[in-house]
Every structure is written in structure tokens, then in C-alpha cells.
Amino acid sequence: MILDELYYTKSHEWVRVEGEKGTVGITDFAQSELQDIVYVELPEVGKKLKAGEVLCSIDSVKSSAEIYTPVSGEVIEVNEKLSSEPELVNKDPYGEGWIAIVKLADSNEISNLLSAKEYEEMLEGEK
Amino acid sequence: MSRYIPLTERDREEMLKEMGISSIEDLFSSIPEELKFKGKLNISPIKDERALVDYFRNIDAQNRFADKKIFLGAGAYNHYIPYAVDYISMRSEYLTPYTPYQPEVSQGNLTAAFEYQTYISALTGLEVANVSMYEGATATAEAALMALRVKKGKIAVARSLNPQYKEVMETYLRKQGIDIVEIGYNRDGRINIREVEEKIDNNTTGFIVGYPNFFGVIEELETVYENIKDKKVLLITSTWEPLSLAILKSPGDSGAEIAAGETQSFGLPLAYGGPYLGFFATTKKYMWKMPGRLVGMTKDIEGKEGFVLTLSAREQHIRRQRATSNICSNEAWCTVRVAIYLSLLGRKGLRKLALLNHKRAVRAASMLEDKGFKLKFNGPFFNEFVVDVGTDGEKFRDALLSGGIVAGYPLGKEFPELSNSLLLTFTEMNSLSDIDALVKGMEASK
Amino acid sequence: MKLIFELSKEGKEGFFVREEAGEVRIPSDLMRGEIKELPEVSEREVVSHYLKLSIMNYSEDWGIYPLGSCTMKYNPKVNELVASIFTDAHPLLPEELVQGNLRIFRELEEVLKEITGLDAFTLAPSAGAHGEFTGITTIRNYLESKGERREIVLIPDSAHGTNPASSTLAGYRAVEIPSGPDGMIDLEKFKEALNQKVAALMITNPNTLGIFERDIKKIAELLHSKGALLYMDGANMNALLGKVKVADFGVDVMHLNLHKTFSTPHGGGGPGSGPVGAVKEVAPFLPGPRLIGEEGRLHWEKGGDRIRSFFGNFLVLVKALAYIRELGGEGLKEAAELAVLNANYLRAKLSKKFKMSYSTPTLHEFVLSEESFRDKTSTLDIAKRLLDYGFHPPTIYFPLIVHGALMIEPTETESKESLDDFAGALLRIVEEAKKEPKLLHSAPHNTPIRRLDEVGAARNPILRWQKS
């Protein structure tokens, strides 16, 4: 499942841009590859990151993946719910399974990201 | 042919024939000729079992401590081991499996490990204990590394921490470029709180305190905790005589968030330093940051309770360079021994044993004080204490050796300010008459 | 089954402890009361409990335990008797009283030097990964003594996870080198990655695919030309005993696993021992304390950075020395030869139905790929079904570079019959996968417990017993 209104990365993260805020999560494809998620190591609020830097890590029973922020900026909110219910990332990756909200440092960066169509094509290519 | 290899000459020929190969050497053809060793290793075999045992008995005959009265502790303790511990732990099913990667055929080890975790949790007063670290010093160093995952900064260490543990911590932390500050001790042998106030700041990650400390003295952990908690510094305790935890207020109840140390006292022989068993416990809040293996309870597809290795994504086989530790093989078999030991001693026995150790040490201290010896520190101790012998401690100890007494551990090498002091240790293995002999010997050498 | 805590009943006693009159000098505010979690159980019940637990374990003594790169060989029983002679010495006894123990250290150092051709050994490391940390730290201290501050340790992608984790712990950045189509380090990629920032390459030889790294000497020369060192992970040394001296490869530092190659029991995950050897130039940087002096006057001196308390897992050292002394040089070589024979015999048998991960010849172990059965079943299902046949499965899903890997190391201590039976079971399971895949998917059926919910265990961790 891919949502039209989001922007994507090649490493399977998404960002939803609303004003100067970007909500970040992982894609449906990414959660299905990781399988049953058991732990999300949430980033610290206040952490400043450049696009492509490690935002957090997500662990399943037999794997651990680093998640990269699609956009630069400061982490202003994290999804605390994931510390007790990491499975939300599996159940609802684009909704309740969001990871963090980043205050965008540079809204022009969005143009570097993939559109839903481009991301879909990329996934087709990987198959 | 070795008795451990169940392949006859004929088997070997048949196997080669079936593979269509003429000699075993052909199987090594992937090794370049110039790298092959063409000679013979200069190690002669001792094939006869009795001769082999005799060979080692003869080596042991060069040891000369068996008839000595020994009052040594300082990180390793001579406690009696109930024979049932040996008898059960020596079973093939405990001694010879690998790490329980296949839980369906490892429930014995996994259950025992879960029980061990429960024991360590109860003793330390912390919620989560891992299956084991190598020994006390590396467990303590890993505690410092874990604190650095919670908060970046420098590490504070009590000067009264076990000096070997301090050295290991320096090895582990220096490679990561971490600063270590040392906090001194007072006349009572306890942590100098003024130094805590001065040297520990908001950039400090954790404060590592011996509990009891290397002088045998019991710290007032709560006072220490009160002085560091506002700076968001983790209180970390390190304990190398875990029997003390049977009667002392637990680290967890005193503000510590990580408790590490050595478990040798609970059913492992002195064995000249190893194998021992490092314990490690922390709060549930930090469990994903901890090193080492964890066993958790779960259910199988039929709803039956069972145990598995869990939270494994922290570990090196999954996270590789991002792992919380590089530890793989640990001291799993020793945890089985500890679980059996603590089950035998139980709620009443362990407490009684701890009190017996303490009382013997108190008795010795009183007798020495009566003979004019001064204890170096007036803080309360568990089963060891520091005595001032008024002269070079090492020479004083050596003088008693000829009388068959090993009068503790001279502190001068690691604490130059205590060069006239000995650390004396008393357990249930030091009989009352042995204590009399020690006091008499020390008085005579005075 | 009930836990020991659930067997507790007030008033029972598992061990007699004397109560003695005497003074308690600890203020009561520093003391705790009875620890209510600790049970009260009789010795009879404790023994029964741990006996019942034990029989739920598979063990090496029971039969083939073919975990790849783990070298689960038979653990000779006499070595336990020999170790029991040496249980009583306190590690801080004056050295003059423990010359026998010190001789054990000296003798083991000497035989390990003879086996590897290296110039010095420390016996302190407690396990393989601890040896890796020790070895890389030794390299770091050596390089820094020459004013060289380097940043990187190169590690092939087939390496065990401890290699990168140990490098990180020693303050280096681990950089992965891909394997080539033959399963060996890709020499060209290695050359591209090699520069003045590289402190060392960690190589396992034979590697985790069982393949001998043919270019190892060339690799050593390239490293040395850039001032970097070659570290060898000795996890797979069982293939090479008496057949090579690793110093001839150009290896500068290595660790051995006494609990693999030299037969000491694994104990369900330790205690192990991971001695580290080094060439002359690097030897002064091995950790301390270091054993000095002539027989009868052996003593400890400070040496390099301390990596644990006291001197090492002494009883494990005793058992390994007993093994080496019993077999002697020719016996060790025979062990290596027959380990390689057994592995290749098994490989040949299984090749009829399974696809090998690489066609390159292998020594003491080999890796099957899931390719030949992927459409019918999974590696996990095959492993679980093996349990029903009474065998411990091989290492699965490792090395990571082989999809659905089954990594098999039978060791020299299996009979031809045992290998035939094991191969027979695997071949039968492949047939079952075609006809009755469900049977595999729901396996194991005959074990004390069935497949466990690992996801639930990690999401809602229950890590200790609590009174409900």
C-alpha cells in the first residue's frame, strides 16, 4: 500500500508535510519486510538531524533496521505509544505507526524525495 | 587412532571410495602447498588415561597451599559448595550443550536461566537480570558502557572499587575515548561525599561504587544517591561478594539503576580465578540497552508455558557493529550451578550463612583490636576488613607464611597510601581455631 | 513444569547452616529482611527439579550436534577429572604456593605457540569474542605505540557478528568487505578498501563457509605494505591443526577457541576460553598480567591492559591442556584430517538432494542453500523437523550471505553410522517437504515443548518469576 499524499525515500521511509512539520514513518513495504516488530528505539526530542541521518532503529525478533530521516530538522515530537505497542508500525504504518515529527529545516528538500508514483516504480523495479 | 574418534581404518577407506577420492590429503588441496606445514608438531602424546591423570597430579604436587590457613578474599571467596551442586551440574545435559538456539530441546537450560535471572533480580532489587557476563570486572565495565548508551558523558568511579575492576574499566572505556574521574574515600572507608559534590556534574553519566567496597566497608548508598540524582547520574553498584546482598539493603532499593558484579561465591570453586560468573541487572526501563542474553517466558503453539532467548535484536549476531555488546559465549553453565546453590541454601540458609560470615569477621576484628591492632576504617564491614599492621603489609604477610598462615591481601601495590595494611577475609571455611591461630601469629609478628 | 519458586514451602531446608553466637556490627538501616522471593526447598526436591529440567536438553554427549563454526566435538570425560584436581587455589595466593597452577599456564602457552607458530600467547580472554576484543585492543596499542592512530577494521561479509561488534568495542569502525563468487574475500574489493586508515583485517580461515582463504598470504602482504595487521579469528582452527602453522600465512594476531577446537565443553553457552597469540613485534602489547620466569619460579608481571579479573578461565585451560597432551601433535593432526573427511563425506551425501551455497571445495564444514527446497519449505521448518528425528539441527540463517543457510560441521568425533543416519534424516525430510509440507511446518511434534511464540516473548517480556 502506498499513499499518494506522502513523500518517500529509497530506504523506505515516508514523510507527511504539513506546514513546517514533517511526520515520519516507515512504509508498508518496509514493515512487511521487517515482519513482527518488537521494539522501536525512539529518537530523543530535540535531536537535530540532517536528511539521511539515522533517526532511530526498529527491531523485529531476528533483525534490526536503522531508520533514516527523509528531511533535515529538529525532532519535536515522538510517538510514545510505540514504546508499549511497537506492533502499531506493522498494523498501521502510515497512521498510528508514525515515528516522529521533525520541524523542517529546509522545505526545499522535499523535491529530493520520491513521489508516490516514483516510489511505486522503484518497488516494481526491485521485484 | 584416538579413542575419541569412532572411525575405523576401513570406514575411512569406504568413505573416500564413496566420494571418489584416493586420500584424505586430497581434501586439503585447497590449501596452497607453500602454506602447508610439512613437519610434525613437537607435542608428545600421553595416551594412557592413568598416565595422563598422573601427569597432572604431578603438576599439582608443585602447589603448596593445601595445608595453609588462608584469609584471602578481595574478589574471590572460599565458600563451601554443597555436593549436590557438583553432582547435578556435571550432568551431560548441562555441561555439553551449545547455547539454546533451539528452545524446543533446551528447556532445561532455559528454565534454569530464567530461575537464575529471578534470583539475581531478587538479590539486587532490580527488575531485569541477564543470563551472565564473563566475570565481575567485565560485567562492571559493561555497566559503564550501558550507562553511556543512556546518557553521553564521563564516568565517575570510586577509588575504593576493586582495583582490578578499575583497570578493566579503563581498558574498555579508554578505547571509546571516555573520561574517568575518581572519587576518593573518607576515614571511615566510605565515599567522600564532598568529592562527589565537587567532581560529579551534569556531564557525568554514571557513578560506579563498590558495594561493599574493596576495603570490605558497606557504603551508605542512599546518601550517595541523594547527592547525584538531581544531576541525572546513574548510580551503578559493583559487588564481588554477593553473599553480602543476602543481608544488606539491595542496590535497587537504595537508588541504583544498574547492579553488576561477581557471582563466584554462589557455588563456583575458587579455581585460581576462573571460570567465574558476572551478574548484571537493571531496571525494566533500560532493558533494551543492556548487554548479554535474556531468557523470557512465553507459550508454545499448544498454549504450554516455555522459555526462549529474547530481546535478541540487541545482540551481535543481529546488530553486528551496533550491538549493545560483543558478548556471545558467556558463563551459562555457571548460572545453572548458581541456581542450584541458591535453591539449596534458600531463604533462610542464605541469610544464616551471610550472618555467619559477618560474625566470624567481627570476632576476628575484636580479637585483633584486643591485641592492639587498629582497623584502618571504622565504617561497618561485611566479611572482610582492613587492618593496619604498622609495617609493610607484604613483608608482614610473608613473615606469617612460614607458620602456615596466609594473612590476607597486602594493599600497598594498588593503594600506596595503605602500604601498612592488610585486607583480611573470613568465611564459614575459616574455623574458630584458624582465627585463633591467625591472631596469635599476627601478634607474634607485631 | 513448576519453577523452583513454586515448590517452596515454609520450613523446608536444602542445606544446613550453623547458627553461631556473635555480634552483628552492621547498622540495621543498612540491612534488609528475609528475601521473600528465595524459596524454601529440601535437597531432595532441588535435585529432582534440576534433574527433570536436565532431561529436556539435547546435549553433545547425546549425539551429533552439527552446528557450523561451533565445533561441537566430543568432550573427553577424563578432562573433567583432571580439572577437579585444580579447583581449590585462591587466585591471590603468593606465587610461591601455586607453582603447579602457573606451570599449567606456561605449558599451555608453549603448546599453543607450537600449534600456531606464533611467538606469545595470553590465556586471559574468557571466550572467543573476548579474545577478539583483546586481539584488536592489542593491535591498537601496538599501532599507537608507533604513533599510528588508525580508524578502520576491515571484515568480510561472511564473518561472525562478534567481529564487527568487537571492533566497535575496541574503538574502531568496522567496514565490510564483500565475498566473491567463490565464497572467498573479493581481493579487488579488499584492495580498494585498503588504505592508511586501516588498522587490521579480521579474517576467519577457513571462513564460515568452510572455504580456505587461498589468498591469505597475499592479503597479509598487502596489509603489511600499508602498515596494517592481519587478525585471524581461530573459530575454525579445527580444520587446520597440524596441517599448517598460521604464522606462515603472515597472521600477526589471532585467537583460538579452547571450547571449540580443544574439546572443552560448551556448558550451554560458556564458560569458554579465547587465548590470543601474537608475533614478536606485537607480543609486548598483549594484556596483563603476563607470566614470567623459569619453572619453579614463575610469577606474574603487570603487562599490557587488563581485560578481566585474575588470569583467565583456569579450569577451561586445564581441560584444554589435558586434551592436547593426550592427543599429542599427531593426534591433533588426525583430528583435523578426520573432521575434514567427515564434513566432506556428509557434503557428498547431501549434494544429491541439496544445493551447496558455493561449489568451491570446503574443509571442516559446508553450507547448504535453501535454493533446492525454497518452493516447498523453509530452512527453519527443516531444522525443526530434524528435532523430530532426534537430531540437533545445524546452524541456520548464517552466514548472512547465503539465503536460508544451513551450516553443517559434524566434527571428527562422529562415526560413519552417525553421519549416515543424519544424512538419511535430512534426505527424508526433503521428500516429506514434497509430499507433506504441513508436517514440517508444524514440527517439532515429539519434543518437550512445541514452537514457541518468540514475538510475544519480545513484545511483552517476562524475565523473572513473580508470585501471582
Side-chain angles (χ1 to χ4, degrees), chain C residues 23 35 45 47 75 97 105 107 115 156 178 221 244 284 377 394-395 410 413 416 427 430 436:
Chain C
E23 189 191 345
I35 306 174
E45 290 159 298
V47 168
N75 314 126
L97 302 183
F105 281 85
E107 277 197 20
I115 289 166
E221 286 163 4
V244 302
T377 185
T395 301
T413 59
K416 180 173 177 291
L427 295 171
V430 177
E436 255 184 298

Side-chain angles (χ1 to χ4, degrees), chain C residues 27-73:
Chain C
S28 58
D29 64 331
L30 294 181
M31 292 180 74
R32 75 201 296 180
E34 271 187 7
I35 306 174
K36 60 179 189 330
E37 291 91 339
L38 302 190
E40 292 179 80
V41 202
S42 67
E43 177 177 318
R44 195 262 176 277
E45 290 159 298
V46 172
V47 168
S48 166
H49 176 70
Y50 287 101
L51 176 72
K52 283 173 189 157
L53 288 187
S54 76
I55 60 173
M56 295 196 282
N57 285 344
Y58 190 93
S59 68
E60 161 56 38
D61 279 352
W62 182 263
I64 187 169
Y65 211 130
L67 290 173
S69 283
C70 298
T71 314
M72 293 295 286
K73 62 167 77 176

Side-chain angles (χ1 to χ4, degrees), chain B residues 3 25 42-43 55 64 76 92 94-95 97 102 105 115 135 164 171 245 247 271-272 298 302 304 360, chain C residues 20 32 49-50 58 61 87 89-90 97 107 114 243 267-268 306 309-310 326 329 384 448 450 453 463:
Chain B
R3 58 174 164 158
E25 201 49 41
N42 184 20
I43 306 168
Y55 180 84
R64 292 189 293 104
S92 296
Y94 285 126
L95 195 57
Q102 299 291 340
V105 289
E115 292 177 347
E135 41 70 70
Q164 293 196 357
T171 304
L245 297 179
I247 55 170
Y272 201 56
T298 186
E302 291 171 354
K304 201 165 156 192
R360 291 222 169 141
Chain C
E20 210 164 79
R32 75 201 296 180
H49 176 70
Y50 287 101
Y58 190 93
D61 279 352
T87 53
H90 192 286
L97 302 183
E107 277 197 20
E114 171 68 11
K243 305 296 288 182
R306 182 181 270 284
S309 57
F310 308 121
E326 177 171 351
K384 296 300 181 196
R450 306 277 302 274
D453 177 9
L463 305 171

Side-chain angles (χ1 to χ4, degrees), chain B residues 79-80 82 243 341 344-357 359-360 427-429, chain C residues 13-20:
Chain B
H79 292 293
Y80 184 80
L243 183 59
Y341 178 89
L344 288 167
L345 270 284
R347 192 182 303 168
K348 296 252 164 27
L350 198 69
R351 187 175 175 82
K352 277 198 251 176
L353 186 67
L355 286 170
L356 179 60
N357 273 246
K359 285 174 181 173
R360 291 222 169 141
T427 74
E428 74 279 11
M429 305 296 268
Chain C
E13 212 173 54
F15 188 69
F16 169 76
V17 183
R18 176 193 305 277
E19 275 181 87
E20 210 164 79

Side-chain angles (χ1 to χ4, degrees), chain B residues 279-296:
Chain B
F279 73 82
F280 194 106
T282 186
T283 59
K284 200 156 187 179
K285 180 165 75 168
Y286 295 132
M287 67 186 172
W288 279 97
K289 299 199 185 292
M290 72 192 294
R293 298 211 158 105
L294 287 166
V295 172

Side-chain angles (χ1 to χ4, degrees), chain C residues 58 63-67 342 345-347 349-350 354 366 368 382-383 386-387 389-395 406-410 414-429:
Chain C
Y58 190 93
I64 187 169
Y65 211 130
L67 290 173
N342 273 0
Y345 175 73
L346 202 51
R347 174 179 167 157
K349 289 214 139 193
L350 294 174
F354 287 91
F366 58 95
L368 306 177
I382 289 185
L386 264 173
L387 295 172
Y389 282 90
F391 294 106
H392 197 283
T395 301
L406 281 154
M407 183 196 199
I408 304 177
E409 178 184 9
E414 291 311 310
S415 65
K416 180 173 177 291
E417 295 76 17
S418 161
L419 300 174
D420 288 342
D421 290 348
F422 179 74
L426 263 175
L427 295 171
R428 255 200 312 277
I429 290 170

Side-chain angles (χ1 to χ4, degrees), chain C residues 407-462:
Chain C
M407 183 196 199
I408 304 177
E409 178 184 9
T411 84
E412 71 279 12
T413 59
E414 291 311 310
S415 65
K416 180 173 177 291
E417 295 76 17
S418 161
L419 300 174
D420 288 342
D421 290 348
F422 179 74
L426 263 175
L427 295 171
R428 255 200 312 277
I429 290 170
V430 177
E431 290 306 309
E432 288 176 348
K434 284 183 204 154
K435 291 174 198 140
E436 255 184 298
K438 265 196 185 150
L439 198 59
L440 275 68
H441 197 62
S442 55
H445 306 86
N446 311 329
T447 47
I449 202 140
R450 306 277 302 274
R451 274 193 220 194
L452 288 145
D453 177 9
E454 297 188 40
V455 174
R459 280 184 181 163
N460 300 302
I462 304 170

